Amino acid sequence: MDFNLQTPTLLFSAISLLMLAYTNRFLTYAGLIRDLFKQHQENPTDTTKNQLINLRKRMSIVRNMQILGGLSFFFSVLSLMLLFFSFDLIAKISFGLSLLFMLLSLLLMIIELQVSVNALNIQLSDFEKKN
């Protein structure tokens, strides 16, 4: 494999888009938590309590996704810098770490999607109880 300055830059657009998606997800959850918390204070129910517990878990996962995405970006940029200074072996290791962090971030994204489905199931179980 030819490893040059262009190789680490392949991740830049992917990491940037993922970080944007993660940030949007984080902001959406923050808004939901504020709304549900207010709703739960006014009229406490098991459904809102369970939703808030689920959202706390999801926020934690998204935070970790963002951290891993940031580390992926960091090591990709570090790889570029190391290549620039002709530290080829260390640059390859740094790029490998970047790929590993990206992979872990994507794995957490899949886990977070599963937790999101559980949140919808909480909401739907409340609907089923009423019908």
Side-chain angles (χ1 to χ4, degrees):
M1 177 181 118
D2 186 30
F3 191 73
N4 55 41
L5 282 173
Q6 293 175 344
T7 306
T9 61
L10 294 173
L11 286 183
F12 283 15
S13 60
I15 294 170
S16 297
L17 288 173
L18 277 177
M19 293 301 286
L20 181 62
Y22 294 167
T23 301
N24 285 339
R25 206 171 192 99
F26 184 87
L27 293 174
T28 300
Y29 292 161
L32 281 172
I33 288 170
R34 286 183 187 98
D35 293 343
L36 273 175
F37 184 75
K38 182 179 177 186
Q39 181 182 343
H40 188 70
Q41 282 185 319
E42 293 169 0
N43 181 25
T45 66
D46 284 341
T47 301
T48 55
K49 177 186 166 193
N50 290 335
Q51 287 285 24
L52 286 167
I53 290 168
N54 184 281
L55 281 167
R56 177 185 291 217
K57 183 177 183 178
R58 289 160 70 184
M59 285 287 280
S60 176
I61 294 170
V62 170
R63 180 199 64 215
N64 292 332
M65 288 164 39
Q66 288 177 311
I67 289 169
L68 290 169
L71 285 170
S72 179
F73 207 11
F74 173 82
F75 281 102
S76 189
V77 172
L78 180 62
S79 179
L80 278 173
M81 193 173 82
L82 290 167
L83 278 172
F84 182 76
F85 291 113
S86 299
F87 295 111
D88 294 352
L89 179 61
I90 301 171
K92 285 181 181 180
I93 292 168
S94 179
F95 184 67
L97 286 171
S98 177
L99 291 174
L100 177 66
F101 287 126
M102 172 69 83
L103 187 64
L104 292 172
S105 177
L106 292 171
L107 178 64
L108 282 181
M109 183 182 70
I110 293 167
I111 291 168
E112 197 274 332
L113 286 172
Q114 287 299 111
V115 174
S116 295
V117 169
N118 290 339
L120 292 174
N121 286 334
I122 291 169
Q123 195 71 40
L124 289 175
S125 70
D126 189 46
F127 171 74
E128 290 170 355
K129 287 177 191 174
K130 290 180 182 177
N131 290 327

